């Protein structure tokens, strides 16, 4: 193997740069050239790539975002797009590709693998919503960003004895809400995986105040309801005024935590090792604190189990 490519695709995540660095340096260490493909599959179609050197990935391990940039390519989802990508891959002489991204990015990766391109996926998304891996790069940083924000909100929430609704990311996944909610000691965690009624929510808030709580912090995953509607319903049922904070894309930025850098480095190194062994169509995952290798096909046919125990614990501790 003489030359491989690396790209980041979909929503960026802190730690992607550490993964890029690991891919580039592991490959060069093994005598393999690396091409960085800009803006994910968009750059692959537009032939926007450049050779990377040991120095081109210097000074990036601590930086959020992705130096390769990222995008969600509509063109690549078409038959013509895939054909064009295959042609460009052949023209560039890439004999292996590392795709860092979420499940949308992996669908493209699997398509290329089926067409004979050796491809390895690295899970990078703050949502931690990819099956067959306990962890996706960026999750720890995002959770810590939420925790820092909620620490500040608690001060003012307590002073005013107020209810706050804090909306966090995770379109179809409650992982950020669950982990940050537990870490913040939130009174309520609302997530898409656990349906709730407004009556139960309001009872919980009011019971908390009756027990002497000085505030009520509600962590709402974006996929679990509209923060403004929740606020209005709380007002209608209880008469309480609550405040809303939408943390939004703030959660996607920032310097990656040590954990994200370490997992990203291990995954990047493993991805190159697999390509050198002639392995393709796999995702490098993280299960019970160890690197694992999973078929990309399996990733799409598996549903990520929800951590019910952690959810129960968070509820018990929020009493
Ligand atoms: O990266 C995943 C994610 O952050 C989701 O939680 C969120 O819904 C989505 O991306 C928003 O993405 P964008 O605004 O970049 O389209």
């Amino acid at each position: 193997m003489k030359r491989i490519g690396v790209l980041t695709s979909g929503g960026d995540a802190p730690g992607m740069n550490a993964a890029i660095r690991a891919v580039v340096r592991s490959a060069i260490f093994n005598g393999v050239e690396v091409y960085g493909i800009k803006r994910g599959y968009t750059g692959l179609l537009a032939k926007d790539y450049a050779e990377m050197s040991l120095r081109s990935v210097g000074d990036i391990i601590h930086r959020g975002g992705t130096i390769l940039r990222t995008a969600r390519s509509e063109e690549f989802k078409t038959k013509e797009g895939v054909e064009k990508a295959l042609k460009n891959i052949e023209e560039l002489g890439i004999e292996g590709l590392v795709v860092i991204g979420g499940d949308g990015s992996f669908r493209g990766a699997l398509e290329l693998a089926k067409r004979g391109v050796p491809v390895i996926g690295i899970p990078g998304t703050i949502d931690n919503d990819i099956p067959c891996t306990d962890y996706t790069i960026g999750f720890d940083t995002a959770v810590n960003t939420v925790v820092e924000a909620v620490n500040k909100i608690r001060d003012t929430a307590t002073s005013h004895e107020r209810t706050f609704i804090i909306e966090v990311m995770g379109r179809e996944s409650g992982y950020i809400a669950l982990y940050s909610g537990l870490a913040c000691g939130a009174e309520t965690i609302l997530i898409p995986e656990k349906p709730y009624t407004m009556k139960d929510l309001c009872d919980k808030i009011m019971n908390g105040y009756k027990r002497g709580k000085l505030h009520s912090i509600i962590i709402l995953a974006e996929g679990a309801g509209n923060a403004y509607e929740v606020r209005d319903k709380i007002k209608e049922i209880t008469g309480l005024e609550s405040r809303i904070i939408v943390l939004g894309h703030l959660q996607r930025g920032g310097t990656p935590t040590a954990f994200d850098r370490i997992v990203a480095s291990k995954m990047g190194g493993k991805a190159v090792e697999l390509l050198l062994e002639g392995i393709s169509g796999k995702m490098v995952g993280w299960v019970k604190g160890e690197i694992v290798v999973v078929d990309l096909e399996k990733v799409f046919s598996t549903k990520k189990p929800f951590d019910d125990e952690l959810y129960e614990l968070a509820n018990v501790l929020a009493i």
Side-chain angles (χ1 to χ4, degrees):
M1 184 167 281
K2 291 265 178 301
R3 182 179 292 173
I4 64 168
V6 58
L7 60 83
T8 50
S9 163
D12 62 346
M16 278 185 164
N17 281 329
I20 295 167
R21 173 180 176 270
V23 169
V24 171
R25 293 207 171 156
S26 304
I28 295 176
F29 178 83
N30 284 287
V32 176
E33 291 173 7
V34 187
Y35 272 72
I37 298 162
K38 306 275 174 65
R39 305 192 313 283
Y41 297 111
T42 305
L44 186 57
L45 296 175
K47 297 190 187 177
D48 189 3
Y49 18 70
E51 188 174 352
M52 302 190 80
S53 66
L54 291 174
R55 293 279 53 86
S56 67
V57 289
D59 208 24
I60 66 166
I61 194 165
H62 62 295
R63 282 164 56 191
T66 158
I67 59 160
L68 290 177
R69 314 289 173 248
T70 186
R72 293 187 171 101
S73 171
E74 286 306 316
E75 189 187 353
F76 184 66
K77 289 181 188 156
T78 64
K79 217 169 134 250
E80 296 73 30
V82 173
E83 294 300 333
K84 196 167 162 190
L86 288 165
K87 202 172 132 277
N88 291 351
I89 286 171
E90 201 184 328
E91 196 183 293
L92 184 63
I94 286 174
E95 298 165 274
L97 181 66
V98 178
V99 172
I100 308 167
D103 55 353
S105 316
F106 287 172
R107 282 186 198 280
L110 186 57
E111 195 55 40
L112 292 177
K114 282 183 179 163
R115 303 291 297 271
V117 180
V119 182
I120 300 294
I122 294 181
T125 160
I126 62 164
D127 289 349
N128 198 25
D129 60 349
I130 299 184
C132 307
T133 181
D134 293 346
Y135 195 76
T136 61
I137 296 168
F139 177 64
D140 188 52
T141 308
V143 167
N144 277 288
T145 298
V146 175
V147 170
E148 260 180 57
V150 176
N151 287 346
K152 294 188 171 102
I153 291 163
R154 284 176 78 104
D155 291 343
T156 176
T158 306
S159 305
H160 287 263
E161 298 171 63
R162 248 179 195 153
T163 299
F164 267 82
I165 302 163
I166 297 149
E167 187 191 289
V168 300
M169 274 187 168
R171 221 180 332 228
E172 279 143 33
S173 162
Y175 266 94
I176 296 178
L178 175 60
Y179 274 66
S180 60
L182 178 61
C184 293
E187 275 65 34
T188 311
I189 300 169
L190 302 178
I191 50 183
E193 294 86 346
K194 297 280 171 191
Y196 60 93
T197 66
M198 284 309 299
K199 184 183 175 304
D200 288 347
L201 170 62
C202 291
D203 285 350
K204 199 169 180 192
I205 297 170
M206 295 315 284
N207 289 335
Y209 284 127
K210 273 182 213 146
R211 281 196 302 272
K213 278 186 182 276
L214 296 175
H215 61 235
S216 198
I217 303 278
I218 301 166
I219 305 275
L220 169 73
E222 61 178 333
N226 178 296
Y228 297 89
E229 284 171 13
V230 172
R231 177 196 61 188
D232 293 347
K233 268 283 173 211
I234 292 174
K235 169 93 175 144
E236 192 186 308
I237 298 173
T238 66
L240 284 177
E241 291 268 0
S242 34
R243 295 287 188 263
I244 295 173
I245 307 281
V246 178
L247 291 179
H249 291 77
L250 199 92
Q251 296 158 90
R252 287 235 297 252
T255 185
T257 59
F259 185 69
D260 270 323
R261 298 179 202 192
I262 290 163
V263 175
S265 300
K266 284 194 171 195
M267 286 181 171
K270 187 68 182 180
V272 171
E273 190 187 308
L274 293 171
L275 286 177
L276 289 173
E277 285 169 8
I279 293 168
S280 173
K282 309 278 183 191
M283 175 186 80
V284 180
W286 183 263
V287 174
K288 296 188 175 30
E290 300 282 348
I291 288 282
V292 295
V293 179
V294 195
D295 281 337
L296 277 174
E297 294 267 18
K298 191 173 172 209
V299 173
F300 294 117
S301 57
T302 311
K303 198 176 174 320
K304 186 159 178 134
F306 188 70
D307 196 339
D308 283 306
E309 261 180 47
L310 204 65
Y311 178 75
E312 291 312 323
L313 179 67
N315 274 330
V316 169
L317 301 186
I319 194 166

